[in-house]
Amino acid sequence: MVNQSSPVGFLLLGFSEHPHLEKILFVVVLCSYLLTLLGNTLILLLSTLDPRLHSPMYFFLSNLSFLDLCFTTTCVPQMLVNLWGPTKTISFLGCSVQLFIFMSLGSTECILLTVMAFDRYVAVCQPLHYATIIHPRLCRQLAAVSWAIGLVQSIVQTPPTLRLPFCPHRQIDDFLCEVPSLIRLSCGDTTYNEIQMAVASIFIVVVPLSLILVSYGAIARAVLRISSAKGCRKAFGTCSSHLIVVTLFYSSVIAVYLQPKNPYAQERGKFFGLFYAVGTPALNPLIYTLRNKEVKRAFWRLLGKDGDSEES
């Protein structure tokens, strides 16, 4: 089945109904993208070059940083072009590639955050067995599974979405090609696609989030059993950064993919979509570096200074 939209592509309306905001958003998105590139590249360098960061926690963090770099690069350049000028077109091929990669990486991040929660659960609840359970081979396997699930999810959902009969006006009321916005553009029956999106949301969003909450419930019970205040602070410190990242990412994803069908929710969903596509990848390095002494010490060591003396 050949989609009739393929020769001409689409119009990404984005925030064109708020022209006074577009130049402001351009500056915000550009600054966030530069911060994403700088922060996540720095974490990748530190995790690779500093032997003290060769641990499971920083292995998963480096995977998250690489994922965020790819995640934003998939959509931000096109978004900046659309925000800056009147031309807001994207070819059918460009939309297809963006949809496939964006969905794959977004699904991977949902699973990877769950894997990181499991790592923190073992670190707090099974500290004596941590090195035995979370060994390097398991880390590589869990990371590979995360990327594989994201790829499979995109392979399953992208083709049916692109085969939809799109309306002649070709106007996507969004700033990038996503499944919900393309379903709304269709002039045909979208029941199958909506059911598919709902099922995928359960497996990729609801189930992983539930596992994360269960992990943190067990972590909370373990922390409450710690008698010393110093031990509680240390246990909380190992989990707080990840919990903040999970809250920011999942709250915005839920607002986009599990929202009710009404114009207000759709408009609000665009801003939440902008946040998880641009905001969270920029904030993740700040959250992990500002609250993590080991990363800060590794940064000073990379500059040729004594990390311990700089911290003190």
Side-chain angles (χ1 to χ4, degrees):
M1 179 178 180
V2 179
N3 196 297
Q4 296 301 315
S5 300
S6 57
V8 289
F10 302 99
L11 294 174
L12 290 171
L13 297 181
F15 299 96
S16 56
E17 70 274 21
H18 305 291
H20 59 287
L21 286 178
E22 287 197 315
K23 294 299 183 286
I24 298 174
L25 287 173
F26 176 87
V27 175
V28 172
V29 171
L30 178 60
C31 292
S32 298
Y33 185 51
L34 294 176
L35 188 60
T36 299
L37 295 178
L38 177 63
N40 287 290
T41 301
L42 179 60
I43 287 180
L44 283 172
L45 284 174
L46 294 176
S47 300
T48 302
L49 299 177
D50 196 308
R52 302 188 194 184
L53 298 186
H54 291 175
S55 65
M57 175 180 175
Y58 297 105
F59 172 78
F60 294 128
L61 179 57
S62 62
N63 269 265
L64 180 63
S65 294
F66 178 69
L67 190 152
D68 282 341
L69 283 173
C70 300
F71 194 62
T72 53
T73 303
T74 301
C75 62
V76 168
Q78 177 74 47
M79 194 187 307
L80 290 173
V81 171
N82 291 351
L83 287 172
W84 182 255
T87 303
K88 302 182 184 301
T89 59
I90 184 172
S91 67
F92 182 80
L93 177 61
C95 184
S96 303
V97 172
Q98 186 182 81
L99 175 66
F100 182 86
I101 298 176
F102 195 78
M103 183 181 301
S104 175
L105 296 177
S107 302
T108 300
E109 183 154 354
C110 290
I111 306 302
L112 187 59
L113 289 174
T114 309
V115 170
M116 295 174 74
F118 171 69
D119 172 69
R120 294 299 84 205
Y121 162 77
V122 178
V124 175
C125 300
Q126 303 286 335
L128 299 178
H129 303 285
Y130 179 76
T132 304
I133 299 174
I134 310 295
H135 50 81
R137 182 182 176 186
L138 179 63
C139 292
R140 291 190 295 269
Q141 290 172 340
L142 290 173
V145 167
S146 300
W147 289 89
I149 290 176
L151 181 62
V152 171
Q153 158 68 5
S154 189
I155 290 174
V156 169
Q157 198 160 359
T158 299
T161 304
L162 295 174
R163 285 197 296 265
L164 284 169
F166 298 118
C167 296
H169 60 76
R170 303 174 290 110
Q171 296 178 353
I172 301 177
D173 191 14
D174 209 334
F175 56 86
L176 54 83
C177 294
E178 281 195 287
V179 173
S181 56
L182 287 171
I183 288 177
R184 290 194 296 268
L185 180 62
S186 175
C187 289
D189 183 15
T190 61
T191 303
Y192 170 77
N193 300 82
E194 290 176 5
I195 293 174
Q196 187 184 51
M197 186 177 69
V199 173
S201 298
I202 292 173
F203 282 102
I204 301 297
V205 179
V206 177
V207 172
L209 181 58
S210 301
L211 293 174
I212 291 173
L213 294 176
V214 170
S215 298
Y216 275 103
I219 289 172
R221 289 194 298 271
V223 170
L224 291 175
R225 289 197 297 266
I226 299 176
S227 56
S228 67
K230 183 179 179 180
C232 287
R233 286 194 301 269
K234 183 178 180 180
F236 179 76
T238 62
C239 304
S240 58
S241 297
H242 177 256
L243 188 57
I244 294 171
V245 169
V246 166
T247 302
L248 293 175
F249 180 78
Y250 271 97
S251 59
S252 54
V253 168
I254 289 172
V256 174
Y257 284 90
L258 301 177
Q259 61 176 322
K261 284 187 175 181
N262 61 70
Y264 173 74
Q266 180 178 333
E267 184 68 19
R268 183 184 59 186
K270 280 197 289 187
F271 283 95
F272 277 108
L274 181 67
F275 181 74
Y276 86 75
V278 179
T280 53
L283 291 174
N284 288 353
L286 292 176
I287 294 169
Y288 278 106
T289 54
L290 293 178
R291 301 179 62 86
N292 192 306
K293 291 183 179 181
E294 286 300 321
V295 174
K296 288 189 282 187
R297 288 169 181 166
F299 174 71
W300 289 116
R301 287 193 294 269
L302 182 66
L303 297 179
K305 300 180 180 181
D306 185 355
D308 295 328
S309 62
E310 292 293 338
E311 280 296 308
S312 59

